Amino acid sequence: MPTVLTGARVFGCQFEGAKGAVVGPVLVDEEATRSLGGAELEEWFSAQGAEHVQVVG
């Protein structure tokens, strides 16, 4: 089952080496104004070193 991160604020979290499936969208900036979901969120995770995180839903 995927981890539901919908609405979570993830700025400052370390994701290097993370793997699994998540449901978004999530807030990725310090001000909590930039919300990413789908392919954009998957690309963001990859840029954070979490190449094996899949975004579903």
Side-chain angles (χ1 to χ4, degrees), residues 4-47:
V4 178
L5 295 178
T6 304
R9 296 177 179 192
V10 297
F11 176 80
C13 296
Q14 294 186 358
F15 293 102
E16 189 171 333
K19 56 186 170 183
V22 300
V23 176
V26 301
L27 300 163
V28 298
D29 63 333
E30 188 171 10
E31 296 80 24
T33 58
R34 184 174 175 215
S35 178
L36 298 179
E40 285 183 316
L41 181 56
E42 202 163 291
E43 290 174 21
W44 183 87
F45 272 115
S46 184

